[in-house]
Amino acid sequence: MEKEKKAYTDLDVWKEARVFANEVYNATKLFPKEEMFGLISQMRRCAVSIASNIAEGCGRNHSKDSIQFFFVSRGSLYELETQIYIPSDQNYINETLGKALLSKVEITRKLLSGFIKYYQNLAK
């Protein structure tokens, strides 16, 4: 009997990405209103993209297709990491919050990298 595929909503990597997106939303509420259509919007879109591309990749029929979406997710994570430094530089967030967000980047990156390796092994 074929092993049943786990729903993406049950995956630790997706759960972590979702929690991280909510933390980004909460952090950006502290930014000045003048950033609403700049940094706030950009950071939120990146954060949502991470979890969304994991979900979309899981919905594909072939491992190679899935992996492409997981790489997009990882690219969004790297983009968001850079965008966390900028509000820190601008004093929109304090050092403690900046470090906490960067710690979430690292946790999410490790989970996502492991998940990509898993799918790459499926594609062989």
Side-chain angles (χ1 to χ4, degrees):
M1 185 172 215
E2 193 175 315
K3 187 178 177 184
E4 191 173 319
K5 194 172 179 182
K6 204 175 193 182
Y8 75 88
T9 56
D10 292 331
L11 298 170
D12 289 340
V13 65
W14 180 83
K15 289 177 185 178
E16 186 65 33
R18 183 176 163 203
V19 167
F20 187 31
N22 283 292
E23 290 181 8
V24 168
Y25 265 76
N26 289 333
T28 56
K29 288 176 185 175
L30 304 172
F31 291 14
K33 295 297 176 208
E34 65 198 44
E35 288 293 345
M36 183 57 72
F37 301 106
L39 199 52
I40 293 171
S41 175
Q42 187 70 19
M43 289 179 73
R44 288 178 176 183
R45 283 186 284 124
C46 280
V48 169
S49 175
I50 297 164
S52 296
N53 279 291
I54 292 168
E56 188 163 357
C58 288
R60 295 294 166 155
N61 287 331
H62 301 287
S63 295
K64 288 184 180 185
D65 291 338
S66 297
I67 291 166
Q68 183 60 38
F69 282 92
F70 303 148
F71 280 135
V72 171
S73 180
R74 191 168 70 181
S76 293
L77 180 62
Y78 276 88
E79 186 178 353
L80 181 56
E81 179 180 28
T82 297
Q83 294 166 354
I84 291 169
Y85 285 104
I86 295 166
S88 295
D89 295 343
Q90 293 295 313
N91 296 313
Y92 295 165
I93 58 175
N94 63 37
E95 186 177 347
T96 302
L97 180 54
K99 284 182 179 180
L101 290 171
L102 290 172
S103 176
K104 279 293 198 182
V105 167
E106 190 57 33
I107 291 166
T108 307
R109 183 180 2 251
K110 286 178 182 177
L111 286 168
L112 190 52
S113 292
F115 193 60
I116 290 169
K117 284 179 186 175
Y118 167 78
Y119 260 83
Q120 286 173 326
N121 287 332
L122 288 178
K124 289 181 182 179

